[in-house]
Amino acid sequence: VRLKPLVDKGLLSFLGETPNKRDAEGEWSVCCDHAFGTQATQEELYDTAVAPIVDAVSKGYNGAVIAYGQTGSGKTYSMIGAKTGPARGVAPRAIAGVFAGLRKAAWRIEVSVLEVYNEKVRDLLAPGSTVTTVDVHEVRENGGGLLSFRCPEAITWIARTPEEAMAALMEGCRRRETARTDMNHHSSRSHLVCTLNVAQSDREAGATLRSRLHLVDLAGSERLKRSLLDSPRSRTSPQ
């Protein structure tokens, strides 16, 4: 859990390792793995919560980092932030971490950027100015492995450097659907999913290590009666 600055004093308190419970006045105490205070930096957030996932991806595991919270709570700032400097968000740092952690001499990284909007999946890297939707399929990994849900028709960009991977992500962010709401005048009204497909080959062993990292920036989690968002964009938020 990350707390956004300017939260009213006295609204939140840290209770240590307290199980979820409700007190006599009806107030809930919620236990989480880690709570970042309002003074937490982007670097602290990444090093504590995300770096272990990125390291596991470099070793061949699949990983996902998902930002969840209501509109205006700082999800996009935490995930994207600035492209350079101390304000870099999770995504730029994770992308750089994946490249830095490559362990094989031969490797290949492909990037896809999808948007879930109005119950449809849109390909944000598809050429042209028109909206391109793709279907979700249940695909068996490597022709005979476990089943997973994929969008095989989605366009992927080959990234040879962290800068090329970031260029793909920023192109997707540019084309992402946004709408004005009462809670945030520049609110993301869709779910953004940036995926890095990593393949590391060991030619001597004749084996290839494959993994994926999903970076997800969800739409605002508040209920519609609080954001007063009009249909059809409201389909991306809980009722």
Side-chain angles (χ1 to χ4, degrees):
V1 175
R2 187 181 194 184
L3 306 181
K4 183 180 179 180
L6 303 181
V7 174
D8 292 338
K9 293 182 178 180
L11 180 63
L12 296 169
S13 60
F14 294 95
L15 303 176
E17 304 207 1
T18 304
N20 299 349
K21 64 179 181 179
R22 175 178 287 177
D23 61 21
E25 297 179 357
E27 296 291 333
W28 277 99
S29 299
V30 180
C31 182
C32 56
D33 292 333
H34 192 93
F36 297 91
T38 57
Q39 302 303 315
T41 64
Q42 298 279 63
E43 182 179 10
E44 181 183 352
L45 172 68
Y46 176 80
D47 289 345
T48 303
V50 181
I53 299 174
V54 173
D55 184 60
V57 169
S58 300
K59 297 176 181 178
Y61 295 93
N62 294 332
V65 181
I66 304 174
Y68 173 84
Q70 77 172 50
T71 295
S73 60
K75 300 184 303 297
T76 300
Y77 172 76
S78 295
M79 288 298 292
I80 307 298
K83 289 187 289 185
T84 59
R88 284 191 306 158
V90 164
R93 294 173 187 271
I95 288 172
V98 168
F99 277 86
L102 294 172
R103 289 170 162 76
K104 305 298 181 183
W107 53 266
R108 179 185 179 94
I109 293 181
E110 297 179 350
V111 184
S112 66
V113 185
L114 303 175
E115 175 187 46
V116 182
Y117 179 72
N118 279 356
E119 301 178 1
K120 295 182 179 179
V121 181
R122 303 166 62 173
D123 186 354
L124 298 182
L125 296 183
S129 57
T130 59
V131 174
T132 301
T133 60
V134 292
D135 295 325
V136 180
H137 297 277
E138 196 173 24
V139 178
R140 192 171 294 280
E141 297 286 339
N142 301 323
L146 298 175
L147 289 173
S148 65
F149 292 98
R150 304 283 294 278
C151 297
E153 298 88 0
I155 298 296
T156 59
W157 286 14
I158 297 176
R160 301 173 183 84
T161 64
E163 290 74 20
E164 291 182 354
M166 273 301 302
L169 173 58
M170 298 314 296
E171 173 64 15
C173 290
R174 184 185 68 82
R175 298 172 63 175
R176 186 182 187 184
E177 192 68 43
T178 61
R180 176 177 174 145
T181 74
D182 281 5
M183 300 188 74
N184 185 344
H185 285 184
H186 191 69
S187 170
S188 302
R189 299 313 312 163
S190 63
H191 308 307
L192 181 74
V193 183
C194 175
T195 301
L196 276 69
N197 296 287
V198 183
Q200 303 179 74
S201 300
D202 188 329
R203 295 176 180 175
E204 294 183 0
T208 299
L209 193 65
R210 302 182 187 275
S211 58
R212 288 194 299 272
L213 174 63
H214 302 287
L215 303 170
V216 185
D217 183 16
L218 295 178
S221 62
E222 71 281 349
R223 296 187 179 276
L224 295 182
K225 63 183 179 182
R226 296 191 61 190
S227 66
L228 302 182
L229 185 69
D230 293 331
S231 181
R233 293 184 178 95
S234 59
R235 296 175 189 170
T236 59
S237 295
Q239 302 291 325

